[in-house]
């Protein structure tokens, strides 16, 4: 498949991974809903000893009326951070890099999951096994940058079921 067509398919697939907020379905938004771009949840799975790559998951609420696109993620603790997605094939699920930027529609959230869009973090620049948090910067195509501190979770920790305005379960 040609790269432009593949990029378009990636963008469409990524768009389908977003949960639209209740206001779009005609119900009211929580009074606590922000009208700004907010990182509501950020975790990174602690790598096992000797493993040089790990995964991270974010929940990003776009409370604006305009779509935004996540272009990249940066951190002083890792030399390489990629945005990836799981592609379903007939034989197996294959992780694939996201070509281009990840769209987040206005008044919607991006909920990263292991079976959808997620981060891979590699080339650690220091001993990450002793960290409890990791600082990252999310870079959007508009040039906006949002600093966030992600919490480390163990590989056997169940992921929180986070949805905008509900907190973690």
């Amino acid at each position: 498949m040609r790269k432009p067509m593949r990029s378009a398919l990636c963008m469409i697939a990524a768009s389908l991974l977003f949960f639209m907020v209740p206001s779009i379905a005609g119900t009211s938004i929580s009074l606590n809903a922000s009208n700004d771009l907010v990182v509501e949840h950020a975790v990174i799975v602690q790598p096992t000893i000797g493993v040089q790559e790990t995964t991270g998951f974010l929940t990003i609420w776009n409370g604006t009326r305009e779509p935004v696109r996540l272009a990249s993620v940066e951190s002083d603790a890792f030399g390489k951070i990629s945005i990836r997605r799981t592609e379903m094939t007939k034989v197996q699920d294959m992780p694939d890099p996201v070509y281009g930027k990840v769209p987040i529609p206005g008044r919607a959230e991006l909920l990263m999951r292991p079976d959808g869009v997620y981060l891979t973090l590699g080339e650690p620049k220091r001993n990450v096994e002793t960290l409890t948090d990791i600082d990252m910067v999310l870079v959007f195509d508009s040039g906006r940058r949002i600093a966030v501190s992600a919490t480390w979770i163990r590989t056997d920790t169940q992921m929180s079921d986070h949805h905008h305005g509900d907190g973690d379960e």
Side-chain angles (χ1 to χ4, degrees):
M1 184 180 301
R2 290 174 288 145
K3 277 205 176 205
M5 182 177 225
R6 184 177 183 140
S7 294
L9 288 174
C10 290
M11 296 305 284
I12 291 168
S15 296
L16 294 175
L17 297 173
F18 299 107
F19 292 92
M20 303 308 285
V21 295
S23 64
I24 296 172
T27 60
S28 65
I29 298 176
S30 164
L31 294 176
N32 296 330
S34 173
N35 291 326
D36 200 0
L37 191 57
V38 179
V39 178
E40 295 185 330
H41 190 76
V43 297
I44 297 176
V45 179
Q46 285 181 327
T48 54
I49 294 174
V51 174
Q52 295 296 306
E53 188 172 87
T54 191
T55 54
F57 305 96
L58 306 168
T59 301
I60 305 170
W61 164 249
N62 179 9
T64 71
R65 298 196 181 279
E66 300 298 319
V68 298
R69 295 185 305 167
L70 178 62
S72 63
V73 179
E74 302 169 353
S75 174
D76 289 339
F78 289 94
K80 183 177 180 182
I81 300 178
S82 301
I83 303 170
R84 301 185 73 82
R85 68 175 175 82
T86 301
E87 180 179 319
M88 308 301 180
T89 67
K90 291 181 180 179
V91 179
Q92 63 188 16
D93 297 342
M94 298 291 295
D96 228 2
V98 172
Y99 296 102
K101 299 165 180 99
V102 178
I104 308 172
R107 307 300 288 167
E109 75 179 3
L110 165 62
L111 178 63
M112 291 188 177
R113 293 279 191 201
D115 59 349
V117 175
Y118 59 95
L119 303 175
T120 58
L121 301 93
E123 301 175 10
K125 295 181 179 179
R126 58 181 177 242
N127 183 1
V128 295
E129 295 164 4
T130 60
L131 298 176
T132 56
D133 296 320
I134 183 157
D135 294 327
M136 299 186 301
V137 176
L138 306 172
V139 181
F140 294 87
D141 65 342
S142 65
R144 183 167 181 188
R145 299 169 68 85
I146 298 177
V148 62
S149 182
T151 303
W152 285 105
I153 61 172
R154 293 178 10 170
T155 54
D156 60 351
T157 303
Q158 183 165 343
M159 294 276 295
S160 295
D161 186 14
H162 182 94
H163 297 285
H164 175 69
D166 293 341
D168 295 333
E169 295 176 10

